[in-house]
Amino acid sequence: MTHRNILQVLSLLAFSLGPGFSVDLSQRETLKGLPGVEVNVLVTGLDDARGADLQRSLQVDTELRLRQNKIRVLEANPSVPGRPVLFVRLAFYRSESPDVDASAFYVESHVAQDASLSRNSKLVRAVTYQSSAMIGLTNTSVLRDHVRKSCSEVVDIFINDFLAENPLP
């Protein structure tokens, strides 16, 4: 993948974000009263060992950031109302050219909760209520640090929104 191809991928991602990823303060209201969130991190586009290591690291980083901000990290439990989950997704696009030492990445977070229709409470589906995303390009030698910083920025958007709707006593 050439620099031109990487820029094309980044451009497509930027345009695909569209209004669904714009700031909508009314979405914050859906976070009000949540007991906390389960955290689910997924990394794609890296070799298995490196991807698994980064995924574990980002899982720990995300849970730690939430706890430091007094947001409960929930275990997977179907009895929690709404079963709120903070998803953090990270996708890499690496150049196939050996002379290009760079990777494009896309990091996204969103909160999904179970919701039901008022006219049919038995019909329950996971609905995404709050999202943020970021795209970037990084040198392979600083990939881990750059990506961890970008992930923390995306998670901080969630933390700020959560605390705005659930102020600490």
Side-chain angles (χ1 to χ4, degrees):
M1 185 178 277
T2 66
H3 283 292
R4 183 171 181 236
N5 294 103
I6 290 173
L7 290 175
Q8 287 174 333
V9 168
L10 289 174
S11 296
L12 287 172
L13 281 172
F15 288 117
S16 71
L17 295 178
F21 286 87
S22 61
V23 174
D24 181 1
L25 296 180
S26 67
Q27 285 189 359
R28 273 194 346 204
E29 296 172 356
T30 63
L31 302 174
K32 190 170 193 72
L34 289 182
V37 291
E38 179 185 336
V39 176
N40 183 310
V41 176
L42 178 66
V43 175
T44 60
L46 293 177
D47 60 76
D48 290 343
R50 192 170 186 189
D53 181 51
L54 184 58
Q55 185 169 314
R56 273 190 304 277
S57 177
L58 293 174
Q59 180 82 27
V60 169
D61 287 353
T62 301
E63 290 179 3
L64 181 61
R65 288 186 86 70
L66 295 175
R67 287 184 177 109
Q68 287 172 334
N69 285 281
K70 310 288 190 259
I71 299 173
R72 276 186 53 209
V73 175
L74 305 173
E75 298 298 321
N77 183 350
S79 68
V80 173
R83 294 180 37 202
V85 180
L86 172 64
F87 291 96
V88 178
R89 301 285 184 250
L90 181 61
F92 285 94
Y93 304 93
R94 300 186 69 190
S95 173
E96 294 174 4
S97 175
D99 59 329
V100 177
D101 187 31
S103 292
F105 66 90
Y106 169 77
V107 61
E108 177 232 350
S109 75
H110 67 270
V111 175
Q113 301 178 59
D114 286 346
S116 61
L117 297 172
S118 59
R119 67 179 183 275
N120 183 358
S121 62
K122 293 179 183 174
L123 182 62
V124 177
R125 297 288 186 263
V127 180
T128 299
Y129 287 106
Q130 191 263 353
S131 301
S132 59
M134 179 183 294
I135 54 176
L137 185 63
T138 185
N139 186 296
T140 306
S141 63
V142 293
L143 181 140
R144 185 180 185 86
D145 292 336
H146 191 157
V147 167
R148 286 177 76 184
K149 183 176 186 276
S150 296
C151 282
S152 70
E153 289 175 14
V154 168
V155 169
D156 283 348
I157 293 169
F158 164 74
I159 290 170
N160 291 336
D161 287 347
F162 186 94
L163 294 176
E165 291 300 321
N166 301 287
L168 297 173

